[in-house]
Amino acid sequence: MTTPFRIRISADRRALLAGCLIAVGALAGPVAGQTDERTDEPTGEPDSPTRAEAAESAPSAQELFDGLEPRYRQWVASVAGLITRAELDYFSQLEHDYQRDAFMEAFWQPRDPDPATPRNALRERWQQAIDQFGGAPTGDPRFLLYLLNGPPGAYSLPDGRPVSICYSRDYDLEIWFYGASERTGRRFPVILFKRSAADQWRVYLPGDPLRPARRFGGLPTTDVGAFCDDWAVRWTASEIGRLGGYTQLIREVTTPPMPSAEWLANLRLSGTQLPEGAATLAVEAAVDFPARRQSRTALRVLLRVPLSEAPGRSFEDRLFHHFELTGEVIRDGRLFEEFRYRFEGETPAGAEEIPLGFTRFLRPGPLTLRLLLRDVFGDRWAEIARETVVPSPEGLPVDPGESLEATLAGDRRPAAAPGQPGLRLDPPPGGPLTGPVRFTARAQGDLDRVTFYLDGRPVLTRLRPPWSAELDLGEAPAPHTVRVVGLRNGQEAATDQIWVNQGAARFRVRLVEPRGGGIYPGSLTARVEVETPGGERPERVEIWRDQERVASLGEPPLSARVDLEGTGPAVIRAIAYLPDGSSAEDAVLVNATGLTEAVAVRLVELPVLVVDGSGEPVAGLTAADFRLFDEGEPRPIQRLLPPAELALQAALLIDRSASIEPRLERVGTAAAGFARAASAAPGSRVAVFSFADRMTVDAGFGSEPAELERALAGLVARGRTALYDSVAQAAASFGEEPGQRALVLFTDGADETSTLDLAGAITAARRHRVTVFAVAMAGSFADRSARRELERLATETGGRLWLLEGASGLEEAYRSIAALLAGRYLLTFAAPPDAGQELRRLRVEVDRRGARVEAQGAYSP
């Protein structure tokens, strides 16, 4: 054997190599390159709490570890090298064992290398490593090496001998040979050794001396072919010295996967434990069991909140309240179910208290009900715990529940009349839809066949249930209509249609009848469906035959008889109006046998911003100052609208994922200032969207300023970040009114859960001609790539990125965006007649010295 050398590895390097510290020591700081960004503190914020004071009184890692029960200390030791100090702090300070059990189960989810599969490969390998090493040896780098890279193998020595692992016969030393691993495609060996019998195992690095301790006790194997000879040790040490970047390679293969920055924040926000230092409010709670549903008993809870405890908030002299309720049901010491409710609305005049209630259907038996109620507007909390026994459902009245033919929640489409055939298309779940997507229709009554249409084209006919079809929506998220038509006895008996990838806040009208291209001798019945952003009724719906208005409808049913003059072609139109004057239209051509389809001229509107050398908008330009190129070909400008004549549709898209919680109120206040200014401009329409795992519409386009402000004040942080899906959904929510469309985005980090990628989000914004202006915190990005992607999202849609160092810059960022929007022009040009639906490259130049143009670089005709 080679002459042993002395090796010294600093504590920092041992932490970097993730495996040479004792369990509690390893937990005292970030592991292997991880940073404190995964705590919930807004790093570097001038308005954040003083963490030095908190650190002074905080218990040490050893104290937290010692305070746990033995089975929880054993679990913490088994995940040493994976768990962070922030996670240990939270785990150790939980009050109940069921919460710790739930934490241990959830711990592996953000570390799953492939969340799309039902298996968690890292968790399975962790169990294999425990079995391999007889538990989780404290401070053993072999455990972490095996856990993260799998067993060694697929390696050949220079003489061609295959080798995976060898052991020294005389010293505490072993060599692992990786032809590749799950963490890298590179070929590398690892020498592991102990320098004394009581020492921990260590990793040999190039340039360090190697002095392993003599082996005492039994040999690790009886296979003589598995022992290292002197040549193997010398050759391996020399090979390690020749490998370029070996120290960095070892750092990479022993660095645990970085869990999501938001998973721990979500745990803090989703439980029923009262936040530390939270202001409290007094609440009365009552529980009863009024009914049954099959084998379950209804547990009904009524909470009474005095107005003196939660006075609410006034918006334009109207008082509103907003509560968030989180609940847990614990059975046999384990978390049985979790639930969450939201209560908001206008506070009744003269009321002294606000009643809040909910019902859960549970099996009989003892349980613990834990509730955490938050007054969002007052930021006060109530913690409620109740031990109870759910009685048997026998003898209780039957809960009426919902009719089997009730429409989906939030579905405002009229149900079919009793006894009549009907169809309902269920919208597929998830965000923007691409590729093959299955659509399913629910039928009422007997149907002989059902045909599925995509964008007016028949795709598939089913002759028997289930009435479902897989439709190809293409690679990029684009707006589509999906329609189903059911036939009985050869006649159309039922139909339904939904919009796909067209947003959640759009104003739409659809002529259910007549059908385009249909033949209607003498007369027809026009039937209209209207969808509005907030669910309100339209002010009126007009039905036109060619240039003549034949009906004006104010109340359902939205249908009217239309007499046709002879059998010649006619255009039937439906126009819906909202109280704010906005309108939406649908039209079909009937009785058009033998006519050829006319080629329409498609006009494209393009907002452009021209700025001088200092970044200020340039005023006074005319159409003659611009040159426009479509796929490199010059295209004449049909019209130019100056900023003063340009209507604005603007949507605030606010990230409300868990990590944003410390800043959310400040963001809402800054965004409210933008909303007030933007909605004051003539013809402007402003909306508020927010997102975490999915996008929601908090205030639709055309909302009053007070409604916009209330929506922003009522945002609650929870969930992970589906940034790209939400951008695409928000872009699809804009209406078709002329003018500029701006999406003002705030986010504190990179995308985590979207089905779309950056390119998909940019494509969706361009397709709907939406410009993205993004505001973000510089310290919230774990790497530069996420920052670059957000910058691309803004600039490639014609907008900009504001990267802030602290929350104090939010108001100025939103003011700057408002100023840029007020300085944009609108160019209108005609798309070429042969242009398809694919994105086309676009370039705009301006004939003004020192000026530059900011506009989208592509459009969809």
Side-chain angles (χ1 to χ4, degrees):
M1 181 156 183
T2 55
T3 304
F5 297 95
R6 186 172 183 80
I7 179 169
R8 300 177 64 184
I9 302 179
S10 68
D12 287 342
R13 176 173 288 183
R14 290 198 303 272
L16 185 65
L17 296 179
C20 301
L21 295 175
I22 64 170
V24 176
L27 300 174
V31 179
Q34 297 172 351
T35 65
D36 285 337
E37 64 147 40
R38 292 179 295 166
T39 67
D40 291 327
E41 296 293 342
T43 306
E45 291 286 337
D47 51 343
S48 62
T50 305
R51 286 178 290 170
E53 296 176 1
E56 222 173 282
S57 59
S60 67
Q62 186 68 54
E63 290 171 332
L64 290 172
F65 185 76
D66 291 343
L68 296 173
E69 292 183 11
R71 68 186 180 105
Y72 294 123
R73 288 204 302 270
Q74 181 180 2
W75 180 81
V76 169
S78 73
V79 294
L82 295 179
I83 194 169
T84 68
R85 172 61 195 266
E87 291 169 336
L88 175 63
D89 287 348
Y90 178 78
F91 179 74
S92 304
Q93 293 166 8
L94 290 171
E95 296 177 354
H96 305 282
D97 285 351
Y98 81 87
Q99 295 172 324
R100 295 191 183 97
D101 293 337
F103 177 98
M104 289 160 55
E105 184 65 27
F107 175 82
W108 297 102
Q109 294 174 7
R111 295 169 165 84
D112 189 347
D114 189 0
T117 64
R119 295 174 53 247
N120 188 322
L122 183 66
R123 186 174 188 175
E124 293 178 0
R125 182 63 50 69
W126 168 75
Q127 187 60 56
Q128 293 169 7
I130 289 177
D131 296 340
Q132 175 79 13
F133 294 96
T138 299
D140 191 339
R142 301 175 304 170
F143 185 85
L144 197 60
L145 191 65
Y146 185 95
L147 173 65
L148 299 180
N149 297 272
Y155 196 104
S156 297
L157 294 175
D159 59 6
R161 286 182 295 163
V163 62
S164 60
I165 187 169
C166 73
Y167 306 91
S168 170
R169 191 188 300 269
D170 303 310
Y171 295 88
D172 281 330
L173 180 146
E174 52 192 67
I175 307 174
W176 293 20
F177 298 90
Y178 284 95
S181 83
E182 295 181 6
R183 302 299 295 275
T184 180
R186 292 184 62 182
R187 180 175 182 267
F188 67 96
V190 184
I191 298 177
L192 301 121
F193 72 101
K194 295 170 67 173
R195 63 184 181 186
S196 70
D199 193 22
Q200 303 164 50
W201 285 90
R202 298 171 179 269
V203 176
Y204 168 74
L205 297 176
D208 287 337
L210 182 63
R211 184 183 292 274
R214 289 227 170 242
R215 186 181 295 280
F216 293 95
L219 294 173
T221 179
T222 58
D223 181 2
V224 294
F227 290 113
C228 310
D229 54 25
D230 291 351
W231 174 86
V233 176
R234 287 195 302 269
W235 179 85
T236 304
S238 175
E239 180 71 6
I240 287 173
R242 285 195 299 268
L243 285 174
Y246 183 80
T247 300
Q248 176 63 27
L249 173 65
I250 294 298
R251 179 186 292 117
E252 292 172 0
V253 299
T254 56
T255 298
M258 177 80 77
S260 163
E262 290 179 328
W263 95 272
L264 187 59
N266 270 309
L267 278 185
R268 294 182 189 275
L269 296 171
S270 62
T272 59
Q273 190 163 313
L274 194 69
E276 187 176 354
T280 59
L281 62 126
V283 176
E284 295 183 6
V287 175
D288 67 349
F289 308 95
R292 64 182 171 88
R293 181 177 292 176
Q294 297 180 349
S295 62
R296 300 205 171 202
T297 300
L299 181 151
R300 183 170 62 186
V301 178
L302 178 63
L303 306 176
R304 298 183 181 277
V305 184
L307 278 181
S308 58
E309 293 286 314
R313 186 177 298 183
S314 292
F315 299 92
E316 288 191 356
D317 298 327
R318 295 169 62 193
L319 186 64
F320 291 85
H321 59 263
H322 186 172
F323 297 94
E324 292 278 336
L325 178 71
T326 302
E328 296 173 335
V329 175
I330 298 97
R331 286 187 183 272
D332 302 322
R334 300 191 67 84
L335 182 61
F336 177 71
E337 73 172 19
E338 300 174 277
F339 53 89
R340 186 169 295 109
Y341 293 100
R342 178 176 179 174
F343 306 94
E344 60 175 334
E346 189 169 0
T347 306
E352 295 183 357
E353 63 180 15
I354 303 168
L356 311 174
F358 66 91
T359 301
R360 309 293 297 180
F361 289 89
L362 302 169
R363 296 197 307 266
L367 58 78
T368 300
L369 179 68
R370 296 185 58 85
L371 305 174
L372 185 65
L373 181 69
R374 179 191 178 191
D375 171 20
V376 176
F377 288 154
D379 200 26
R380 301 180 70 188
W381 306 72
E383 188 179 28
I384 302 160
R386 181 69 60 90
E387 304 279 347
T388 189
V389 177
V390 178
S392 168
E394 294 182 8
L396 294 174
V398 176
D399 180 78
E402 295 181 359
S403 167
L404 294 178
E405 295 183 353
T407 57
L408 293 172
D411 187 350
R412 304 179 191 89
R413 296 171 292 173
Q420 295 298 315
L423 278 173
R424 282 291 178 268
L425 264 173
D426 291 339
L433 302 176
T434 59
V437 177
R438 181 158 293 279
F439 292 85
T440 300
R442 293 177 295 154
Q444 174 182 308
D446 295 328
L447 295 171
D448 299 331
R449 62 181 59 197
V450 170
T451 300
F452 287 78
Y453 293 78
L454 178 62
D455 300 327
R457 177 176 55 88
V459 176
L460 181 69
T461 297
R462 292 287 186 194
L463 301 180
R464 61 183 62 86
W467 309 116
S468 66
E470 190 172 85
L471 307 181
D472 188 354
L473 303 185
E475 296 181 0
H480 300 281
T481 56
V482 178
R483 186 170 183 246
V484 285
V485 175
L487 299 182
R488 187 167 68 177
N489 299 326
Q491 301 294 320
E492 182 177 314
T495 183
D496 193 27
Q497 177 174 294
I498 60 174
W499 291 267
V500 176
N501 293 342
Q502 297 192 36
R506 293 167 65 94
F507 175 25
R508 308 180 180 98
V509 62
R510 180 173 75 92
L511 274 166
V512 180
E513 286 290 342
R515 292 178 291 110
I519 304 300
Y520 299 87
S523 67
L524 57 83
T525 297
R527 184 158 61 91
V528 182
E529 290 181 358
V530 179
E531 182 177 349
T532 60
E536 71 272 24
R537 285 183 178 177
E539 185 178 69
R540 69 185 188 280
V541 174
E542 296 178 352
I543 297 176
W544 292 66
R545 182 194 64 230
D546 295 327
Q547 302 304 312
E548 180 185 357
R549 184 175 63 186
V550 297
S552 181
L553 310 171
E555 297 289 337
L558 300 176
S559 63
R561 181 182 176 85
V562 179
D563 291 325
L564 302 176
E565 298 177 353
T567 58
V571 175
I572 307 300
R573 289 189 297 152
I575 308 175
Y577 295 88
L578 293 182
D580 64 2
S582 57
S583 63
E585 179 176 342
D586 190 21
V588 297
L589 178 66
V590 298
N591 295 347
T593 303
L595 293 183
T596 58
E597 183 179 357
V599 177
V601 176
R602 290 174 287 182
L603 295 179
V604 180
E605 294 180 334
L606 179 70
V608 297
L609 176 68
V610 182
V611 294
D612 57 22
S614 61
E616 294 298 318
V618 176
L621 299 175
T622 67
D625 295 314
F626 291 93
R627 293 183 299 276
L628 186 145
F629 300 88
D630 180 351
E631 291 292 335
E633 296 294 325
R635 189 79 55 201
I637 295 172
Q638 305 285 343
R639 185 177 60 171
L640 173 74
L641 283 180
E645 301 178 20
L646 193 54
L648 170 66
Q649 283 190 89
L652 290 155
L653 180 60
I654 308 295
D655 183 346
R656 53 171 169 76
S657 57
S659 58
I660 201 70
E661 198 271 338
R663 305 184 183 97
L664 188 55
E665 183 177 359
R666 188 75 175 268
V667 172
T669 300
F674 172 90
R676 283 192 298 271
S679 58
S684 66
R685 292 162 56 81
V686 181
V688 174
F689 306 152
S690 63
F691 71 97
D693 300 280
R694 62 185 181 89
M695 191 204 83
T696 58
V697 178
D698 302 283
F701 283 108
S703 299
E704 295 295 324
E707 187 178 353
L708 298 171
E709 186 176 352
R710 182 162 65 92
L712 290 164
L715 297 179
V716 175
R718 189 175 288 111
R720 298 179 66 187
T721 308
L723 173 61
Y724 299 142
D725 283 359
S726 300
V727 167
Q729 287 178 282
S733 299
F734 283 78
E736 299 301 325
E737 293 88 344
Q740 60 171 326
R741 305 167 196 168
L743 185 63
V744 184
L745 164 70
F746 175 86
T747 183
D748 75 334
D751 186 279
E752 292 186 310
T753 62
S754 288
T755 57
L756 291 179
D757 58 8
L758 172 65
I762 292 173
T763 297
R766 286 172 166 173
R767 189 176 299 278
H768 295 285
R769 298 164 203 158
V770 172
T771 304
V772 179
F773 294 91
V775 182
M777 296 294 175
S780 62
F781 292 97
D783 55 60
R784 292 182 180 179
S785 63
R787 171 178 170 175
R788 286 194 296 267
E789 288 199 355
L790 189 60
E791 189 168 18
R792 280 188 57 198
L793 175 63
T795 57
E796 293 190 21
T797 59
R800 291 187 189 177
L801 168 65
W802 278 257
L803 209 56
L804 308 181
E805 294 298 331
S808 58
L810 283 166
E811 287 82 0
E812 180 57 34
Y814 279 104
R815 280 195 294 269
S816 298
I817 295 171
L820 293 181
L821 288 172
R824 295 211 294 177
Y825 298 83
L826 188 70
L827 301 180
T828 302
F829 66 97
D834 58 348
Q837 294 298 317
E838 298 300 318
L839 287 172
R840 298 175 62 85
R841 291 179 294 113
L842 198 63
R843 187 175 82 255
V844 181
E845 298 176 353
V846 64
D847 189 13
R848 184 63 60 96
R849 189 179 184 86
R852 74 175 190 276
V853 177
E854 297 180 9
Q856 289 191 9
Y859 77 100
S860 177

